[in-house]
Amino acid sequence: AQPLPDAPIIFPRVEQEEFFLQAIEAFEANDTNAMVRLMNQAVAMDATNHFAYIKRAQLYDLIGQNTHAARDYSRALGTVGVDQKYADVFQMRGCAFFKLGNLNGAVSDWKKFIELKPDKEAEHWQIGVANALLGHYADARRQFEWHWTVNAKDLEVAFWHFLCVARTEGLEAARDSIKSAPE
């Protein structure tokens, strides 16, 4: 028996897409009230279309409505489940959770993203920051050191790495780690 082909990603209907384009125009005109109204109209046209929730969540993110963004990412993921095609939705929801202070939720989503896209693990510095803020300094340090394999000049990562080493091994070891950091 041949495997079934992957189900295609369902994009918004043409009418929905038009509302989303108008919402972007409203955003560019600094009319967030119109933007939200248009986004809501787009989703209401076909509330079963998970991609419409993703698009609306992305637009909510633009205006700092992180609670609404996280909710819409969750709605979309609730209909598609864990599927590699939607790995980026876990990444985006993790970012929304992080902005809301839900560090455990962010780490959980980012771990799922990395599980679905293991080739992105070294690039993923955000999970290191969240782990450091949670007090998981050893995990954070490992992630920052792993990140340096793809971005050796990241000063923010150097700061967080210093903090993690200072917390686990002391200030002197942290100072030494700066001296041996990649250039």
Side-chain angles (χ1 to χ4, degrees):
Q2 285 196 318
L4 294 173
D6 287 337
I9 296 175
I10 300 171
F11 291 95
R13 295 179 6 204
V14 172
E15 298 87 355
Q16 285 177 302
E17 189 65 25
E18 184 57 37
F19 278 120
F20 282 122
L21 292 172
Q22 290 174 20
I24 292 168
E25 289 174 7
F27 170 73
E28 291 171 349
N30 293 318
D31 189 351
T32 56
N33 290 331
M35 176 184 160
V36 170
R37 186 175 55 359
L38 290 160
M39 293 178 344
N40 291 339
Q41 286 178 279
V43 170
M45 290 189 85
D46 182 0
T48 65
N49 187 325
H50 59 272
F51 192 77
Y53 289 106
I54 296 168
K55 297 267 296 190
R56 184 170 70 178
Q58 291 172 314
L59 293 172
Y60 272 134
D61 184 56
L62 286 175
I63 59 173
Q65 296 284 333
N66 301 307
T67 301
H68 294 300
R71 179 199 62 211
D72 276 353
Y73 288 133
S74 295
R75 284 181 177 164
L77 288 169
T79 63
V80 299
V82 178
D83 184 328
Q84 187 172 16
K85 290 182 293 199
Y86 298 97
D88 291 336
V89 180
F90 284 102
Q91 171 66 21
M92 292 182 288
R93 186 175 70 175
C95 290
F97 283 158
F98 185 87
K99 292 172 191 174
L100 291 167
N102 179 354
L103 301 178
N104 288 315
V107 168
S108 177
D109 273 0
W110 290 335
K111 283 181 178 179
K112 183 57 66 181
F113 169 76
I114 291 168
E115 177 185 317
L116 295 170
K117 286 191 169 182
D119 60 312
K120 299 293 185 185
E121 183 176 8
E123 298 171 25
H124 208 290
W125 57 269
Q126 299 101 319
I127 197 169
V129 172
N131 275 320
L133 291 171
L134 286 166
H136 305 154
Y137 301 114
D139 291 338
R141 177 183 178 175
R142 279 189 296 278
Q143 186 63 33
F144 296 137
E145 289 170 356
W146 183 232
H147 179 70
W148 276 335
T149 66
V150 295
N151 189 359
K153 297 188 184 284
D154 192 325
L155 293 177
E156 182 180 359
V157 165
F159 164 79
W160 284 103
H161 182 268
F162 176 88
L163 172 82
C164 292
V165 174
R167 288 293 193 162
T168 58
E169 297 178 31
L171 194 54
E172 191 62 38
R175 285 187 189 121
D176 289 342
S177 75
I178 287 178
K179 295 173 189 168
S180 64
E183 291 184 29

